């Protein structure tokens, strides 16, 4: 069974007839263990798509199945539980709580776990080490650079090892080298730890590491191409 | 979400917004403080007014149309009395715990005394007096005092101005004023034991003693093992004399302060009242009671017992307790209302603070939802914050009220002049009051957060996240 099955997914903002169509009849299938890049210009509907995939936005028409379950049919609590168990998010904005330490920010997903997370401190250390921020746990987000904040957000997504990572990438605010190292991080998460990584980006170069590149324009899927990933970016 | 995680998040959020929240909580603290303060004050007042001035656990039963009779009795008129059989019937009324028949002196008396305590005699031209069953008074007596008719215990030895009585006895001459020739001879008798009411002591200590620069009686009497002895002229007073019998001077010794003593006057053993009434007012006055105090099992039985009393053709003397109770209640209601309004305004303010915090933190709420928080979790976090805020604010308010009450009590003790029934403690913080006010403060906080909590729970995660920082 594919991880995601999207059939004729349409997302309209505003009143049904005259509203802006952010996603327009998207049909596609995503498999487990894929490293997918979704490429599109600003305003093309990437974030909207990611929100639908993340069950954060269920106000769509068409069908979206995750592990065979239609997302719109879930209760609110079931959708929350699904996010808690299955999905890790990295948002376009980092969404760190400024007055919490890095560790506290990374620990946040554990607050919503139904049972206490065993070895939480160790998991936090591991996640921080994985993103290259070992030893920065007690800093406040304000003491970190933009790239480091992005890494904190990634560590937070990794904390409970959800099988699927959904990443909305603001690489625009990062310099080339920093962007490249974060790309490499995702690649290694995919390759070495088997995460399914679905990333959206407007940067062509980001697609280099992906095995599959989807291109959307004005909410429509215009290209779905599989490729052999390049070794480096 | 697990409770531990909730507590952790709530605590962290409170710490983060400490300043905002403390400003918001000040209103709750002040409201809770004033509420507790006024409720405790009125509870204190209620205790003084209804517990000590107008006890609610008893009614005084009097013969019909006695309001005139009791005044006349001072002047020597014989009032219609309550028959012993009627006392027995009262005792059998359901809801009655005990009955205390009183026999009023049906003839005038006057007296003076207290030189040993006051340095000079303090007198009264009219001393109302009555007699009660000694058993009721016994617990209130000074140690070693004997509250019974001293007639049987006295030596009755002959005495005269030149032949004094033995220690403890007084020479009682057959008449006053004393004829000078021939010199009188009297008989040695023990003084009549008497008790006075705490009300009288309060009035004396609060009004009479300060204005006449006399020591306060309450403390002195209790320390003075010997008691206070009064010269007591029977059958003769400023306003007239008894219709029969020969006026003479006896001695009364104050041996205790009792709630069962008459309010303004002195109370002696029933046998003494009976004997003296027979002597100075006739057999009728000695055979009936002037009033009966009926003690209720419970203050709530008041109406039922009053009805049963009237059914017997007797009357219940209204003590003013009900009116005073109503007055205290009215004042309490007004002050409580003011405090409650304070709390409500504060709660509205808290609601406002929460709403703006939620607007400010929409992104954060969206994040939590993305990380697996349910709507219920988000609601619980907001309500948890308001609950914690309520706990802190209410605790602070109650502490404040307690401190203010201590301060006021201290000021009243040290700065206010004495007056009748001046309480040592003006505030009563009962556990129910503390719990109730606490619950009210916490409840107001939580209620104020209900709407904000719902709004937070309904934040759309997707749109909240897109507006993020
Ligand atoms: N809440 C909303 N209400 C109305 N229109 C919206 C809303 N969110 C997005 N849109 C519109 O939907 C379209 C797609 O937006 P989306 O945020 O998905 O773009 P994007 O591809 O993520 O762009 P960017 O790369 O700049 O982040 C845009 O035209 C946007 O204006
Ligand atoms: Mg976007």
């Amino acid at each position: 069974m594919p991880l995601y099955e999207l059939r004729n997914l349409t997302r309209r903002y505003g009143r049904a007839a005259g509203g802006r169509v952010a996603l327009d009849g998207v049909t596609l299938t995503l498999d487990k263990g894929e490293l997918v890049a979704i490429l599109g210009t600003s305003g093309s509907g990437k974030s909207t798509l990611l929100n639908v995939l993340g069950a954060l936005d269920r106000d769509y028409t068409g069908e979206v199945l995750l592990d065979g379950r239609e997302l719109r049919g879930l209760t609110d609590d079931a959708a929350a539980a699904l996010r808690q168990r299955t999905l890790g998010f990295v948002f376009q904005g980092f969404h760190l709580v400024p007055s919490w330490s890095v560790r506290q920010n990374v620990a946040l997903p554990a607050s919503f776990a139904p049972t206490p997370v065993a070895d939480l401190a160790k998991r936090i250390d591991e996640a921080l080490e994985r993103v290259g921020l070992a030893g920065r746990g007690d800093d406040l987000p304000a003491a970190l650079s933009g790239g480091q904040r992005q890494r904190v957000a990634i560590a937070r997504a990794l904390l409970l090892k959800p099988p699927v990572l959904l990443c909305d990438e603001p690489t625009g605010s990062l310099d080339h080298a920093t962007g490249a190292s974060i790309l490499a991080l995702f690649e290694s998460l995919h390759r070495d730890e088997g995460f399914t990584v679905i990333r959206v980006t407007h940067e062509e170069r980001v697609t280099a590491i992906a095995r599959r590149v989807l291109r959307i324009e004005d909410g429509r899927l215009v290209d779905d191409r599989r490729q052999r990933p390049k070794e480096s970016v | 979400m697990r409770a531990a995680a909730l507590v952790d998040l709530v605590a962290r959020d409170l710490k983060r917004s400490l300043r905002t929240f403390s400003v918001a909580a000040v209103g709750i603290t002040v409201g809770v403080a004033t509420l507790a303060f006024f409720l405790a004050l009125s509870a204190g007042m209620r205790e003084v007014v209804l517990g000590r001035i107008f006890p609610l656990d008893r009614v005084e039963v009097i013969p019909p149309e006695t309001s005139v009779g009791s005044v006349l009795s001072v002047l020597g008129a014989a009032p219609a009395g309550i028959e012993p059989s009627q006392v027995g019937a009262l005792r059998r009324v359901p809801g009655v715990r005990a009955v205390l028949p009183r026999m009023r002196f049906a003839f005038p008396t006057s007296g003076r005394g207290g030189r040993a305590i006051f340095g000079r005699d303090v007198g009264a031209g009219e001393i109302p007096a009555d007699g009660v069953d000694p058993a009721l008074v016994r617990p209130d007596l000074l140690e070693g005092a004997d509250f019974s008719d001293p007639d049987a215990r006295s030596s009755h030895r002959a005495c005269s101005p030149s032949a004094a009585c033995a220690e403890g006895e007084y020479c009682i001459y057959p008449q006053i004023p004393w004829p000078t020739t021939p010199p009188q001879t009297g008989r040695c008798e023990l003084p009549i034991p008497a008790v006075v009411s705490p009300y009288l002591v309060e009035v004396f200590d609060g009004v009479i003693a300060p204005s006449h620069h006399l020591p306060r009686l309450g403390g002195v009497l209790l320390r003075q093992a010997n008691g206070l002895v009064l010269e007591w002229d029977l059958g003769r007073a400023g306003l007239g004399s008894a219709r029969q019998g020969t006026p003479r001077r006896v001695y009364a010794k104050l041996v205790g302060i009792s709630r069962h003593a008459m309010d303004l006057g002195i109370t002696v053993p029933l046998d003494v009242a009976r004997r003296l009434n027979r002597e100075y007012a006739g057999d009728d006055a000695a055979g009936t009671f002037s009033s009966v105090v009926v003690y209720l099992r419970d203050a709530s039985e008041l109406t039922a017992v009053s009805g049963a009393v009237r059914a017997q053709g007797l009357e219940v003397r209204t003590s003013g307790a009900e009116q005073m109770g109503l007055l205290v209640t009215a004042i309490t209601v007004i002050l409580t209302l003011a405090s409650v309004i304070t709390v409500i305004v504060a709660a509205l303010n808290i609601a406002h603070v929460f709403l703006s915090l939620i607007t400010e933190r929409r992104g954060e709420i969206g994040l939590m939802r993305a990380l697996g928080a349910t709507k219920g979790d988000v609601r619980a976090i907001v309500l948890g914050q308001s609950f914690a805020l309520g706990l802190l604010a209410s605790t602070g308010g109650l502490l404040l009220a307690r401190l203010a009450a201590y301060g006021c009590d201290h000021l009243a003790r040290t700065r206010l002049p004495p007056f009748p029934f001046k309480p040592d403690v003006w505030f009563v913080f009962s556990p129910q009051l503390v719990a109730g006010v606490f619950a009210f403060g916490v409840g107001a906080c939580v209620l104020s957060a209900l709407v904000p909590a719902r709004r937070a729970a309904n934040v759309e995660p997707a749109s909240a996240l897109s507006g993020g920082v």
Side-chain angles (χ1 to χ4, degrees), chain A residues 126-175:
Chain A
E126 279 170 8
L128 284 175
E129 202 179 316
R130 191 70 187 82
V131 299
L133 283 178
R136 301 302 300 267
D138 295 325
D139 288 340
L140 290 177
L144 302 180
S145 72
Q148 288 169 329
R149 288 181 207 179
Q150 176 74 308
R151 287 165 187 273
V152 175
I154 296 169
R156 181 176 63 197
L158 294 177
L159 180 75
L160 300 182
K161 299 246 160 69
V164 182
L165 291 181
L166 300 171
C167 314
D168 202 342
E169 182 140 299
T171 29
S173 66
L174 304 179
D175 62 51

Side-chain angles (χ1 to χ4, degrees), chain B residues 71-103:
Chain B
V71 172
L72 292 181
S73 74
V74 173
L75 305 176
I82 299 174
E83 299 292 333
S85 63
Q86 287 177 297
V87 174
L90 283 175
R91 194 170 275 130
R92 290 189 295 272
V93 169
V96 169
R97 179 162 55 83
V99 298
L100 163 61
R102 318 190 68 101
M103 184 176 292

Side-chain angles (χ1 to χ4, degrees), chain A residues 76 83 89 95 99 110-111 113, chain B residues 1-2 16 367 369-370 465 468:
Chain A
D76 222 80
R83 290 193 289 268
F89 290 91
H95 287 294
S99 62
S111 298
Chain B
M1 186 169 25
R2 290 165 300 111
R16 172 151 56 130
L367 172 74
R369 299 277 279 123
L465 284 162

Side-chain angles (χ1 to χ4, degrees), chain B residues 182-259:
Chain B
Q184 293 217 3
T185 42
R187 304 245 161 234
C188 289
E189 284 179 24
L190 289 165
I192 298 169
V195 292
V196 293
S197 67
Y199 181 79
L200 178 69
V201 174
E202 285 286 345
V203 170
F204 181 86
D205 285 349
V207 180
I208 301 173
S211 59
H212 290 86
H213 304 289
L214 296 172
R216 309 188 74 201
L217 188 57
V220 173
L221 183 68
L222 291 177
R223 273 197 307 276
Q224 199 101 3
N226 229 3
L228 166 70
V229 176
L230 270 167
E231 290 175 0
W232 199 7
D233 291 351
L234 304 178
R236 195 184 70 159
L239 292 174
S241 297
R243 284 167 302 137
Q244 64 181 68
T246 314
R248 64 188 149 107
R249 173 167 301 170
V250 297
Y251 294 83
K253 186 173 173 184
L254 229 46
V255 293
I257 298 172
S258 171
R259 301 194 313 133

Side-chain angles (χ1 to χ4, degrees), chain A residues 46-48 92 168 200:
Chain A
K46 306 182 297 290
S47 293
T48 304
Q92 200 163 1
D168 202 342
V200 306

Side-chain angles (χ1 to χ4, degrees), chain B residues 320-369:
Chain B
E322 284 156 270
Q323 288 93 319
M324 281 309 288
L326 218 60
L327 185 67
V328 170
T329 305
I331 294 172
T332 309
V333 165
I334 291 168
L335 295 178
T336 304
L337 218 59
S339 315
V340 166
I341 288 171
T342 312
V343 172
I344 290 174
V345 170
L348 289 177
N349 180 42
I350 287 191
H352 174 76
V353 166
F354 270 110
L355 282 179
S356 43
L357 263 186
I358 283 158
T359 311
E360 192 180 304
R361 299 198 184 147
R362 269 185 92 233
E364 211 172 287
I365 294 167
L367 172 74
M368 292 196 199
R369 299 277 279 123

Side-chain angles (χ1 to χ4, degrees), chain A residues 47-85:
Chain A
S47 293
T48 304
L49 177 59
L50 216 57
N51 285 337
V52 171
L53 294 178
L56 291 170
D57 179 356
R58 298 189 293 144
D59 194 9
Y60 53 81
T61 57
E63 283 171 45
V64 179
L65 280 69
L66 170 55
D67 281 329
R69 288 202 294 170
E70 168 58 64
L71 293 183
R72 208 173 32 216
L74 299 179
T75 63
D76 222 80
D77 283 3
L82 176 81
R83 290 193 289 268
Q84 197 273 319
R85 273 198 317 273

Side-chain angles (χ1 to χ4, degrees), chain B residues 1-90:
Chain B
M1 186 169 25
R2 290 165 300 111
L6 177 63
V7 168
D8 192 44
L9 279 181
V10 165
R12 230 186 283 165
D13 264 349
L14 278 185
K15 210 169 114 196
R16 172 151 56 130
S17 319
L18 199 59
R19 185 171 313 170
T20 318
F21 278 137
S22 1
V23 172
V26 163
I28 294 282
T29 306
V30 169
V32 163
T34 52
L35 184 63
F37 183 84
F38 288 135
L39 284 179
L41 179 59
S42 61
M45 292 297 92
R46 194 172 287 274
E47 199 163 283
V48 170
V49 172
L50 299 182
R52 289 168 62 193
I53 305 180
F54 299 112
L56 266 181
D57 65 336
R58 66 183 85 161
V59 288
E60 191 172 11
V61 175
I62 49 176
E65 88 251 356
T66 314
S67 48
V68 179
S70 68
V71 172
L72 292 181
S73 74
V74 173
L75 305 176
I82 299 174
E83 299 292 333
S85 63
Q86 287 177 297
V87 174
L90 283 175

